[in-house]
Amino acid sequence: MANDFSYTDMKLPKIKGGTIKIIVAVIVGLIVLTSTFYQISPEEIGVILRFGKFTRTTEPGLHLKIPLGIETLTKVPVQRQLKMEFGFRTVKPGIRTEYRVTSEAFKEATTLTGDLNVAVVEWIVQYKIKDAYKYLFKIRDADTTFRYMNEAVVKKVVGDNSVDEVITVGRARIALEAKEELQQLCDLYEIGIEVNQLIFQDVNPPDSVKPSFNEVNEALQEKERKINEGWSEYNQVIPKARGEAEQMIRAAEGYATERVNMAKGDANRFRAIYQEYARAPLVTRKRLYLEAINEFLPKVKRKIIFDEKQKNILPLLNLGEETKK
């Protein structure tokens, strides 16, 4: 059976002219409506241009602008913490962040130090856009310019220090100096950026000299350990010796003061006794004798008493018993 159907027999539905006008009017209305209202999020600020010329900024919320391209909107995240990485690139952030070092990143990280050594310096800069107008219109391509400014400042500050300071003890100080100089440069060029932090993420010598550099570091650490041990021994021995010397000096001074005071007391007592003796010699002599006897006689264990008027020992004295004891 032959098929007599052909496309020429199809007939499209006819649309009235009024319907087309309504559809076009609705589409135009939607375009005008969507290009008139706009929303600014809490961390952003809106910059409005009229025929390419800056007119105003708008705060977060719902706003109106002239549609059909007469006024254009640019949203700037002024409250958001932004970050730039130098010497590496983050591939996948997370608990185990994955990094990648490209040839461009390695080039920007390779820096010459003040003692003509090479160091690979990786750092992070955290910043905010504090002035949306300056950020957009005072300088062309502010992000790229800010990256070049970072490289220039860090290479300059690192070039003013030795490789040991950059890699070991001076990292925090050098990072702070770089942050301050970078902020001064941003203010000078009116780039509209506020630098919050500049952190040295990793600082190492090139891979070709890393083994030798590690040996030098181990030797320096051993040197510091020996110095610390010496100071520890010094702090234990020297203060003790000084304390003992001070104790001996104080004891000698106390003994000297005691001897002087005793000598002065004896001299004064002798003068007083002499004065009494000059007034009454017999009485004073007898008193001194009795005092002397009273002082040493109790200390004598065996006593033999003689009478001046008799030539023999007292008959009552039992010498036999005394000598046996």
Side-chain angles (χ1 to χ4, degrees):
M1 180 177 180
N3 190 1
D4 297 333
F5 176 79
S6 63
Y7 288 103
T8 56
D9 296 333
M10 295 179 61
K11 293 182 179 180
L12 296 174
K14 294 182 179 181
I15 301 175
K16 296 180 180 180
T19 305
I20 295 176
K21 292 179 181 180
I22 292 173
I23 294 173
V24 171
V26 170
I27 294 174
V28 172
L30 290 175
I31 294 174
V32 171
L33 185 65
T34 54
S35 62
T36 300
F37 293 94
Y38 64 93
Q39 178 74 28
I40 302 296
S41 62
E43 63 179 10
E44 297 176 334
I45 193 172
V47 179
I48 302 298
L49 304 180
R50 183 179 299 166
F51 296 115
K53 183 180 179 180
F54 172 77
T55 56
R56 66 186 183 278
T57 59
T58 54
E59 298 297 326
L62 186 64
H63 302 276
L64 297 172
K65 63 181 178 66
I66 300 176
L68 302 177
I70 298 175
E71 287 187 345
T72 57
L73 168 68
T74 302
K75 297 180 179 179
V76 181
V78 293
Q79 298 297 329
R80 189 183 304 166
Q81 185 78 53
L82 304 175
K83 181 181 74 171
M84 277 190 181
E85 300 171 340
F86 298 85
F88 65 98
R89 300 292 184 268
T90 299
V91 177
K92 183 180 179 182
I95 298 176
R96 293 185 178 181
T97 305
E98 297 180 8
Y99 301 101
R100 177 169 54 89
V101 178
T102 62
S103 58
E104 179 185 359
F106 180 77
K107 182 179 178 181
E108 67 188 11
T110 304
T111 308
L112 188 66
T113 61
D115 52 359
L116 302 181
N117 286 296
V118 177
V120 179
V121 182
E122 299 176 358
W123 75 95
I124 294 175
V125 173
Q126 294 178 344
Y127 65 97
K128 285 184 178 180
I129 300 172
K130 66 177 181 179
D131 192 321
Y133 175 78
K134 291 181 179 179
Y135 178 77
L136 292 175
F137 305 115
K138 281 290 186 178
I139 196 166
R140 181 177 298 175
D141 197 354
D143 290 336
T144 304
T145 303
F146 185 61
R147 175 170 287 276
Y148 290 153
M149 291 165 62
N150 269 274
E151 290 187 45
V153 168
V154 171
K155 290 180 184 293
K156 172 184 175 299
V157 175
V158 170
D160 293 335
N161 295 271
S162 65
V163 66
D164 292 332
E165 293 175 322
V166 175
I167 294 179
T168 56
V169 296
R171 290 178 58 175
R173 175 183 58 81
I174 295 171
L176 181 60
E177 291 179 4
K179 171 186 174 298
E180 293 174 352
E181 290 198 19
L182 181 61
Q183 185 62 63
Q184 293 175 4
L185 199 60
C186 290
D187 296 339
L188 177 64
Y189 283 93
E190 296 184 347
I191 198 172
I193 289 177
E194 178 184 3
V195 182
N196 299 122
Q197 273 190 324
L198 191 150
I199 304 171
F200 283 169
Q201 190 77 358
D202 197 8
V203 183
N204 288 306
D207 293 337
S208 58
V209 299
K210 188 176 291 185
S212 300
F213 188 84
N214 291 335
E215 292 178 2
V216 172
N217 280 339
E218 290 176 0
L220 291 175
Q221 292 174 2
E222 182 68 16
K223 174 186 174 183
E224 290 294 327
R225 186 177 66 82
K226 292 293 185 182
I227 291 174
N228 292 333
E229 289 178 356
W231 277 111
S232 177
E233 187 70 19
Y234 173 88
N235 292 330
Q236 290 178 2
V237 174
I238 299 301
K240 181 179 179 181
R242 287 176 177 171
E244 292 177 353
E246 190 70 20
Q247 182 181 3
M248 294 176 65
I249 291 171
R250 294 290 177 266
E253 291 176 349
Y255 179 74
T257 303
E258 181 184 1
R259 296 292 295 178
V260 169
N261 292 335
M262 289 178 63
K264 290 181 178 179
D266 292 341
N268 293 331
R269 185 168 59 84
F270 180 79
R271 292 191 187 96
I273 293 173
Y274 176 74
Q275 292 175 0
E276 294 294 331
Y277 181 80
R279 288 195 292 266
L282 294 177
V283 176
T284 304
R285 186 186 298 115
K286 188 173 183 179
R287 182 173 63 83
L288 292 175
Y289 174 77
L290 293 176
E291 289 178 355
I293 291 297
N294 187 42
E295 182 178 354
F296 73 81
L297 194 59
K299 300 178 183 178
V300 178
K301 295 182 180 180
R302 298 175 182 177
K303 305 175 183 65
I304 301 174
I305 302 174
F306 293 90
D307 190 356
E308 294 180 355
K309 297 180 180 180
Q310 291 192 9
K311 297 180 179 180
N312 297 324
I313 299 175
L314 294 176
L316 296 177
L317 182 61
N318 192 354
L319 288 176
E321 295 295 330
E322 290 290 334
T323 56
K324 287 180 182 180
K325 293 180 181 180

